[in-house]
Amino acid sequence: MTHAARLASSVTEDQLERVLRLLLPASGVRFQDYKTPTIVRRLSRRMALLRITDTEAYITHLERTPDEVGNLHDDLLIRVTRFFREPDAFAALARAVLPHLEIRPDIPVRAWVAGCATGEEVYSLAILLREALEDRRAEVRVQIFGTDVSDSAVEYARRGVYPASIAADVSLERLRRFFTKADGGYRVTRSLRDMCIFVRQDLTRDPPFSRLDLICCRNVLIFVDSPLQRKLLSVFHYALKRQGLLMLGHVESIGQNSELFSFMDKKHRIFRKKPGALPRAAYRDVTSPLRAARATSAGQAHARVILNEANRIVLERYAPPSVLVDQDFHVVQFNGETGLYLGPSPGEPSFNVLKLAREGLLHGLRTALQTARSTRKATRRRRLRVRGGNDWHEVDLEIIPIVRQNQPFYLVLFEKPRPAVRKKTEAKQPVRGAGTPTGRLARLEEELASTREYLQSTIQEIEAANEELQAANEEILSTNEELQRTNEELDSVKEELQSTNEELNTVNDELVARNEELARVNADLMTLAVSVQTAIVIVSRDLRIRRFTPMAETAFNLIPSDIGRTFSQISPNIVSPDLPSMIATVIDTASTIERTVQDSEGKSRLLRIRPCKGADSAIEGAVIALCEDGRL
Ligand SMILES: C[S@@+](CC[C@H](N)C(=O)[O-])C[C@H]1O[C@@H](n2cnc3c(N)ncnc32)[C@H](O)[C@@H]1O
């Protein structure tokens, strides 16, 4: 079990909530809407760095240390990024998308990179746009908004100075064209920088930009839970122009929001806004789809035109029960008493008219809608049998397409079939035997009725089978979504590992630099020791020999293997029986002792013992120096 997994099982919901509440004032980000496993892993990382094993102790530390709140907050916003990350996706964007941008000299091309981290993605996009527009020889203004919730990331992006290592991701030609050398790295050129505007913005709370041609929100959705993913996709849908494009990260998808976007390049996660989706889905949270349309003034006008037209048709037909549906068959308005034909079905609430269809109606309704959609012509189905409560009724169905601004809507009318008018003569005729023409007619009618019943039951069986297939399909879809979530989870773990890796690389670089420095200092010391004409011995606090100069070999009677032995184990060539105790006194009292001693040849020498201090000024041992009297 990993440390994070152990921690995940030991962090209670209450503890997690307390941690997230502490984080809220620091930046206003509601991490409650982010994926719990990522949060727990980042928490575990912080605890491991601080060597805290108990979650309660960490929470207390957080409460008392505002800096740690900032550190945890920064850790949660995983800021991994690079220039042209996933180069294939950028190539696809340049190839298939940018050439189709609507270019008008009076209106700038507007793009938004949401969650841009330190800006590499923004400048990559700026480079692509510059190259694409240059090919079209167009005089176009370009505005790229780069936003992130991390202040320091935005600040970094604004500076536009990157380390030399970006050469791994940016071609030599682009480096030459779009960067100048600066501070041992590269600075983005003025003209590229001027295309980009960096702003701190919290995607979950702050208003979005609008009238955008392109939104890139890559590797951000993977960190947040499904409800926030849905909300953000609605926001992006709102912020894009008609036909605007959305680009997500390679494992991210629009999930169940297919009414908002359609795939433009499935492999590289490039989507096109569905313009027809406005009435239903400007904001998914809104319960009535028309209310959503009325959320914008353009939507209001558009919705009014469609509704007026639908109402006119309904009135012309003496107001039968009807519904107006959009191109995905979602109901945008109910008219009259439709309860006999439509009703909610068990499961997740849905406005899809096919899901609302009562028993017996589904098949006829679906084929009629599909015919109306493909032919764009009014389509009829007569005498469909539909079950309302315990009874079966007959209904005539008419689908009338209403197309405005190239957006198709369909008006579905439910009408009671007129009773078949029997001819007077027929009514008055007595019932004849089976052999007579009238009898044969009656028999044929009976056969027809039973065949119709048989057909009806077969249709119902097919419908039931269809529904089962649909359910199986949804199960597969949800399994798919789970796999997608696992994939996202794996990707976010990868991102975290990458960010840890980057930190380790930095630490490693520092260690290598320090090692080189140490080697240099060591070499200098060795040169000094060899060139110094004084016998010097350095001992540790426990009087073990650590180092000595070549002159000390004769004076103190030392050989290289004496390093590590205690001073009392050697017999120096000087007369000073109390030398070990003098060294101990120097270490204990941090004082210096000087004494004149005789060497073995009877010459007078000056012995000086000084305390030896470490980096924190603590006494780590002593330096014993011996030289000819008067030379020290
Ligand atoms: C993994 S980075 C992705 C950077 C870049 N889009 C890429 O794919 O290379 C995720 C970024 O999303 C930002 N982010 C997370 N939550 C955010 C929020 N609520 N609003 C804005 N940015 C957010 C983080 O600060 C981080 O810089």
Side-chain angles (χ1 to χ4, degrees):
M1 206 186 202
T2 62
H3 179 56
R6 269 199 311 278
L7 187 80
S9 57
S10 70
V11 179
T12 63
E13 267 183 38
D14 169 64
Q15 287 172 327
L16 198 60
E17 183 58 36
R18 277 158 56 210
V19 169
L20 300 186
R21 266 205 308 274
L22 283 169
L23 285 173
L24 190 62
S27 70
V29 180
R30 253 187 64 84
F31 285 107
Q32 281 85 344
D33 299 328
Y34 286 54
K35 286 187 178 150
T36 309
T38 309
I39 296 180
V40 171
R41 273 193 303 273
R42 301 309 273 179
L43 200 68
S44 125
R45 200 182 98 85
R46 290 298 320 154
M47 287 173 63
L49 283 176
L50 296 169
R51 299 212 171 90
I52 299 178
T53 47
D54 174 41
T55 315
E56 272 310 316
Y58 181 69
I59 295 177
T60 312
H61 180 66
L62 263 185
E63 282 165 348
R64 294 187 185 148
T65 331
D67 278 358
E68 181 53 23
V69 175
N71 292 340
L72 178 60
H73 170 264
D74 288 350
D75 250 29
L76 287 175
L77 297 175
I78 296 160
R79 295 184 351 189
V80 177
T81 186
R82 39 194 325 159
F83 279 92
F84 299 100
R85 191 177 186 193
E86 295 154 24
D88 286 355
F90 275 95
L93 189 69
R95 217 177 24 244
V97 179
L98 301 184
H100 303 295
L101 283 178
E102 190 192 355
I103 304 290
R104 287 181 37 188
D106 50 331
I107 302 179
V109 171
R110 285 159 65 87
W112 176 21
V113 180
C116 69
T118 36
E120 287 86 334
E121 196 178 2
V122 181
Y123 292 120
S124 305
L125 184 61
I127 291 174
L128 285 192
L129 275 166
R130 178 63 79 74
E131 292 171 346
L133 296 174
E134 183 182 65
D135 291 350
R136 294 166 74 175
R137 298 181 201 291
E139 264 298 307
V140 195
R141 273 193 307 134
V142 176
Q143 289 174 338
I144 308 176
F145 302 99
T147 66
D148 201 283
V149 76
S150 159
D151 282 310
S152 53
V154 171
E155 201 42 53
Y156 192 104
R158 276 193 194 124
R159 272 200 308 278
V161 180
Y162 293 94
S165 56
I166 65 165
D169 304 314
V170 186
S171 70
L172 206 59
E173 193 200 330
R174 284 177 173 161
L175 279 178
R176 277 203 205 105
R177 257 194 85 182
F178 300 108
F179 295 84
T180 53
K181 291 214 164 173
D183 305 339
Y186 295 95
R187 182 191 298 281
V188 173
T189 56
R190 180 92 224 158
S191 66
L192 201 68
R193 174 70 189 81
D194 285 347
M195 291 165 65
C196 311
I197 300 149
F198 291 99
V199 188
R200 183 200 182 270
Q201 192 235 28
D202 182 353
L203 270 173
T204 64
R205 301 189 310 163
D206 298 327
F209 300 89
S210 60
R211 289 175 289 109
L212 295 160
D213 296 277
L214 171 68
I215 296 178
C216 285
C217 183
R218 307 174 70 229
N219 307 303
V220 179
L221 297 186
I222 46 171
F223 296 110
V224 304
D225 270 335
S226 309
L228 182 53
Q229 286 187 357
R230 268 205 298 277
K231 181 178 158 191
L232 292 180
L233 288 169
S234 285
V235 170
F236 295 154
H237 182 270
Y238 161 79
L240 283 170
K241 278 183 186 165
R242 262 174 75 81
Q243 306 279 313
L245 302 172
L246 170 68
M247 188 180 186
L248 299 179
H250 75 294
V251 295
E252 292 166 327
S253 191
I254 51 167
Q256 292 180 346
N257 298 276
S258 52
E259 77 277 21
L260 300 182
F261 296 97
S262 53
F263 271 112
M264 175 161 188
D265 179 339
K266 194 166 186 176
K267 185 169 171 213
H268 300 109
R269 307 290 157 156
I270 303 172
F271 304 85
R272 187 184 286 286
K273 171 175 171 167
K274 275 193 183 173
L278 180 65
R280 198 181 106 70
Y283 288 100
R284 253 201 96 118
D285 297 348
V286 182
T287 42
S288 153
L290 269 183
R291 223 183 291 157
R294 289 177 188 130
T296 67
S297 55
Q300 267 175 23
H302 185 45
R304 230 184 353 259
V305 170
I306 291 160
L307 285 182
N308 286 345
E309 176 66 5
N311 289 341
R312 190 187 60 73
I313 300 172
V314 171
L315 286 176
E316 263 178 15
R317 310 288 171 107
Y318 304 108
S322 63
V323 286
L324 182 68
V325 299
D326 67 12
Q327 62 176 359
D328 295 324
F329 306 149
H330 291 111
V331 178
V332 292
Q333 174 152 290
F334 292 92
N335 298 310
E337 192 47 67
T338 53
L340 217 50
Y341 316 108
L342 304 176
S345 51
E348 220 185 296
S350 169
F351 273 104
N352 191 310
V353 74
L354 298 177
K355 288 203 172 162
L356 295 174
R358 290 212 185 272
E359 192 180 341
L361 192 62
L362 179 64
H363 178 66
L365 181 59
R366 182 172 29 223
T367 53
L369 277 168
Q370 279 164 351
T371 311
R373 181 155 69 182
S374 56
T375 61
R376 296 240 167 147
K377 287 197 179 130
T379 310
R380 284 197 180 81
R381 290 288 182 278
R382 299 231 180 263
R383 294 194 176 275
L384 297 178
R385 279 166 59 81
V386 53
R387 189 183 180 137
N390 291 330
D391 299 326
W392 287 86
H393 311 269
E394 289 196 329
V395 62
D396 284 351
L397 210 62
E398 184 167 7
I399 318 281
I400 301 176
I402 301 175
V403 184
R404 290 288 173 276
Q405 293 177 9
N406 216 20
Q407 289 182 37
F409 286 81
Y410 304 93
L411 181 62
V412 183
L413 300 156
F414 302 98
E415 286 177 285
K416 285 220 167 100
R418 292 199 199 119
V421 186
R422 296 175 81 191
K423 286 180 192 154
K424 267 187 191 166
T425 49
E426 220 177 89
K428 279 179 186 164
Q429 273 193 10
V431 178
R432 303 262 172 90
T436 64
T438 323
R440 269 207 304 281
L441 188 65
R443 194 165 40 80
L444 282 176
E445 271 181 355
E446 261 170 35
E447 266 176 30
L448 187 63
S450 73
T451 311
R452 192 181 279 158
E453 235 168 67
Y454 172 72
L455 263 181
Q456 187 68 37
S457 73
T458 312
I459 288 170
Q460 277 166 10
E461 272 170 27
I462 291 174
E463 277 170 2
N466 254 349
E467 272 168 24
E468 263 171 38
L469 275 178
Q470 174 76 14
N473 197 20
E474 293 202 345
E475 261 176 48
I476 292 172
L477 279 182
S478 91
T479 314
N480 220 0
E481 269 170 25
E482 267 167 38
L483 283 176
Q484 166 85 8
R485 270 199 292 280
T486 314
N487 212 3
E488 287 181 6
E489 172 84 18
L490 281 176
D491 216 53
S492 59
V493 173
K494 199 178 110 203
E495 299 254 332
E496 286 169 36
L497 281 178
Q498 226 169 309
S499 106
T500 313
N501 221 3
E502 279 174 18
E503 280 171 26
L504 284 177
N505 274 342
T506 317
V507 173
N508 201 23
D509 284 350
E510 275 172 21
L511 280 178
V512 168
R514 201 164 292 178
N515 253 351
E516 282 170 4
E517 179 73 23
L518 271 179
R520 263 196 307 278
V521 171
N522 214 13
D524 290 350
L525 270 180
M526 291 310 290
T527 317
L528 202 67
V530 172
S531 48
V532 132
Q533 289 301 309
T534 307
I536 298 172
V537 183
I538 301 174
V539 294
S540 56
R541 282 190 73 86
D542 57 359
L543 306 199
R544 283 185 193 281
I545 296 167
R546 281 189 0 205
R547 243 176 231 283
F548 52 81
T549 61
M551 295 290 286
E553 287 181 19
T554 338
F556 289 98
N557 204 10
L558 291 171
I559 53 173
S561 59
D562 284 332
I563 287 179
R565 298 176 69 194
T566 55
F567 212 87
S568 48
Q569 285 174 294
I570 61 161
S571 30
N573 286 333
I574 54 170
V575 186
S576 179
D578 55 347
L579 187 53
S581 68
M582 277 197 293
I583 300 171
T585 311
V586 166
I587 291 171
D588 291 342
T589 59
S591 56
T592 302
I593 294 180
E594 274 186 16
R595 179 99 24 115
T596 305
V597 292
Q598 304 270 311
D599 68 10
S600 53
E601 289 165 9
K603 278 197 202 148
S604 233
R605 298 291 185 112
L606 180 64
L607 176 74
R608 176 178 283 169
I609 310 169
R610 283 170 174 275
C612 169
K613 291 186 180 170
D616 53 358
S617 296
I619 306 296
E620 285 190 347
V623 183
I624 304 126
L626 185 73
C627 60
E628 284 173 23
D629 207 358
R631 276 191 58 190
L632 256 185

